[in-house]
């Protein structure tokens, strides 16, 4: 793994957002750096929050087919209890369960880390890197997000986290260097950031989520979709809504779909709530809303009765879904798209977040002249049109006043 990728993963860990918010971006960055074909994350929440199922295992597997997730959800398998993992991993260790093919042999090396066959089907059938760890609580980021979010959308902190990366059998096996790079990157979850967290970018947070953001394929961009709900299941959904519905799964013995999909559960609760309102022409505009914390941000759901001919409401429910990604993640991705070095991106991130130059120098462990040199190089490398908003923020505290005087 190149040093630039390691710096990117470290910068993601320093963002003032909960672990679930940046987990998809972290996994996608790791997958590309390791040239892997599939990634997945499983977790249990730490506290006994009554809003969360006690000890319930959730998972996010963006490359896994829905049928494989359904089989895993119906199998009833779950991670060990958080209390048991806390006793065995009390000093920041990692539980390793890699399934690597031995040289000259098509089979996998034996492992003592239990992994059910249903979980293996969610990932490509080649080399598999698998670790389980206890993430360090992100008190600063969680406190910021809890104050900005609605109480219903805040999930309890992650108590145990399992990370999996896999390649297809036709691809080369993971090298020892790649295994070490994966474990080093995963170990970041078990330690506090070496430098202080970036301050929150409260000024960039929109007061009301935009229900129709511009379409984009980036992992850290907002996503919006629409579906039609009828008789306790989706009757129609566009590709974006279908992807959002499959975002989080939980074990659910018996019928896996739609009970095991957290987002689908939220859609059903909105449909049930709408049934409390009469489905006639008197109340065609009744809308119910819900916010759910999912990997990548907060999912906002808005449901209304679908109107038929003559304007009368029907039994069908139209649900608009919007995944609002934290502004900090969007800003970091914009910085990644520039020609700046990892250190220069961190400098820009701190100045844009409102830190002064002295605070930025202290956090980055650089001198006055070094910071001036970096700022000069950054202004020369940024595009004056495409990166205009970044250039305006490179002056740190008091930059606006200096610009006005000039």
């Amino acid at each position: 793994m190149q040093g630039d990728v390691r710096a990117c993963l470290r910068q993601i860990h320093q963002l003032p957002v909960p672990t679930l918010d940046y987990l998809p971006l972290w996994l996608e960055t790791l997958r590309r750096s390791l040239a892997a074909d599939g990634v997945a994350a499983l977790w249990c929440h730490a506290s006994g929050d009554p809003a969360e199922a006690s000890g319930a295992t959730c998972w996010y597997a963006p490359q896994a087919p829905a049928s494989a997730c359904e089989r895993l959800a119906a199998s009833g398998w779950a991670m060990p209890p958080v209390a048991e993992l806390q006793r065995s991993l009390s000093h920041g260790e990692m539980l390793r369960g890699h399934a690597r093919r031995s040289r000259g042999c098509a089979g996998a090396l034996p492992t003592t880390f239990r992994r059910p066959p249903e979980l293996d089907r969610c990932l490509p059938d080649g080399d598999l890197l698998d670790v389980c760890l206890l993430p360090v609580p992100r008190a600063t980021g969680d406190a910021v997000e809890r104050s900005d979010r609605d109480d219903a959308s805040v999930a309890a902190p992650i108590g145990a986290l399992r990370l999996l990366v896999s390649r297809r059998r036709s691809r080369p096996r993971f090298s020892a260097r790649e295994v070490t790079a994966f474990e080093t990157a995963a170990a970041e979850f078990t330690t506090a950031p070496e430098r202080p967290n970036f301050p929150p970018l409260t000024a960039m947070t929109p007061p009301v989520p935009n229900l129709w953001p511009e379409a984009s394929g980036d992992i850290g961009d907002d996503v919006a979709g629409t579906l039609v709900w009828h008789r306790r299941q989706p009757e129609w959904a566009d590709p974006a809504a279908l992807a959002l519905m499959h975002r989080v799964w939980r074990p659910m013995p018996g019928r896996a779909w739609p009970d095991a999909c957290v987002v689908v559960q939220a859609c059903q609760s909105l449909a049930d709530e709408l049934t409390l309102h009469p489905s006639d022409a008197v109340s065609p505009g009744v809308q119910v809303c819900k916010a759910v914390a999912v990997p990548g941000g907060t999912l906002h759901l808005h449901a209304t009765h679908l109107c038929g001919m003559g304007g009368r409401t029907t039994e069908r429910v139209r649900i608009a879904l919007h995944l609002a990604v934290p502004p900090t993640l969007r800003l970091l991705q914009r910085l990644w798209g520039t020609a700046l070095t990892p250190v220069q991106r961190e400098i820009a991130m701190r100045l844009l977040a409102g830190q002064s130059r002295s605070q930025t120098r202290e956090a980055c462990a650089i001198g006055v002249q070094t910071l001036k040199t970096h700022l000069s190089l950054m202004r020369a490398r940024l595009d004056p049109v495409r990166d205009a908003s970044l250039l305006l923020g490179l002056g740190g505290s008091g930059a606006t006043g200096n610009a006005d005087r000039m």
Side-chain angles (χ1 to χ4, degrees):
M1 184 184 301
Q2 298 177 357
D4 188 38
V5 175
R6 289 198 299 268
C8 290
L9 293 174
R10 193 171 298 111
Q11 285 177 339
I12 296 176
H13 277 293
Q14 292 176 337
L15 297 177
V17 294
T19 303
L20 279 184
D21 281 2
Y22 70 79
L23 187 60
L25 181 60
W26 188 91
L27 285 173
E28 181 62 15
T29 304
L30 182 69
R31 186 188 69 82
R32 292 179 179 179
S33 65
L34 293 177
D37 298 308
V39 293
L42 299 93
W43 66 89
C44 297
H45 293 285
S47 63
D49 191 338
E52 296 290 338
S54 177
T57 299
C58 304
W59 70 90
Y60 166 75
Q63 286 84 30
S67 58
C69 292
E70 290 178 18
R71 287 195 294 268
L72 177 59
S75 68
W77 173 84
M79 289 176 60
V82 175
E84 178 182 336
L85 291 173
Q86 288 175 341
R87 288 192 297 268
S88 58
L89 303 174
S90 57
H91 300 290
E93 302 95 342
M94 288 191 304
L95 188 60
R96 296 166 176 82
H98 306 322
R100 298 177 61 211
R101 291 166 290 171
S102 59
R103 295 188 183 277
C105 178
L109 296 175
T111 176
T112 58
F113 195 14
R114 183 172 182 270
R115 186 171 49 254
E118 292 82 3
L119 179 56
D120 285 335
R121 295 191 186 101
C122 291
L123 293 158
D125 60 351
D127 266 16
L128 176 66
L129 304 183
D130 183 2
V131 296
C132 184
L133 48 88
L134 301 178
V136 170
R138 301 174 63 84
T140 303
D142 289 346
V144 171
E145 290 295 314
R146 288 175 185 270
S147 64
D148 293 341
R149 291 181 175 182
D150 184 79
D151 292 339
S153 68
V154 177
I158 293 180
L161 178 64
R162 189 169 178 177
L163 303 169
L164 303 101
V165 179
S166 181
R167 281 180 181 167
R168 296 188 181 92
R169 186 174 295 275
S170 58
R171 301 281 303 281
R173 63 194 295 270
F174 286 113
S175 65
R177 183 177 181 181
E178 289 172 328
V179 175
T180 302
F182 168 72
E183 294 180 354
T184 302
E188 293 281 345
F189 287 96
T190 65
T191 59
E194 297 178 0
R195 298 172 179 173
N197 284 339
F198 291 120
L201 302 177
T202 54
M204 294 185 60
T205 306
V208 179
N210 176 21
L211 293 181
W212 304 107
E214 295 182 3
S216 175
D218 293 338
I219 190 69
D221 285 351
D222 287 12
V223 181
T226 305
L227 61 90
V228 176
W229 195 268
H230 187 221
R231 294 181 180 177
R232 306 192 66 84
Q233 64 180 354
E235 186 178 65
W236 174 88
D238 60 23
L242 190 62
L244 291 173
M245 280 194 295
H246 293 162
R247 200 166 188 87
V248 193
W249 295 78
R250 283 179 181 162
M252 187 70 63
R255 184 179 177 219
W257 173 269
D259 300 332
C261 302
V262 174
V263 179
V264 173
Q265 293 175 9
C267 292
Q268 181 58 52
S269 67
L270 287 180
D272 292 340
E273 187 175 348
L274 272 181
T275 59
L276 302 176
H277 303 279
S279 299
D280 52 26
V282 178
S283 58
V286 173
Q287 183 182 79
V288 292
C289 307
K290 190 178 182 67
V292 182
V294 297
T298 303
L299 185 65
H300 299 271
L301 303 94
H302 300 258
T304 57
H305 283 294
L306 194 64
C307 295
M309 296 183 64
R312 298 183 62 87
T313 58
T314 65
E315 294 181 354
R316 290 173 171 81
V317 175
R318 175 185 178 274
I319 302 178
L321 301 94
H322 169 220
L323 178 64
V325 177
T328 313
L329 290 179
R330 294 199 298 268
L331 178 59
L332 181 61
Q333 285 195 299
R334 286 173 57 195
L335 289 173
W336 284 357
T338 65
L340 303 181
T341 66
V343 175
Q344 291 170 351
R345 291 177 189 137
E346 184 169 351
I347 292 173
M349 191 75 176
R350 294 184 179 278
L351 293 177
L352 289 168
Q355 282 191 347
S356 65
R357 291 194 178 189
S358 59
Q359 291 172 329
T360 301
R361 290 198 311 269
E362 181 180 356
C364 298
I366 58 177
V368 177
Q369 188 57 46
T370 303
L371 178 60
K372 290 182 179 180
T373 302
H374 277 304
L375 290 175
S376 299
L377 293 173
M378 292 160 68
R379 294 189 184 99
R381 293 175 179 176
L382 293 176
D383 186 270
V385 177
R386 187 178 62 250
D387 303 320
S389 59
L390 298 179
L391 287 167
L392 288 175
L394 292 184
S397 299
T400 304
N402 294 335
D404 292 340
R405 284 193 295 271
M406 292 177 63

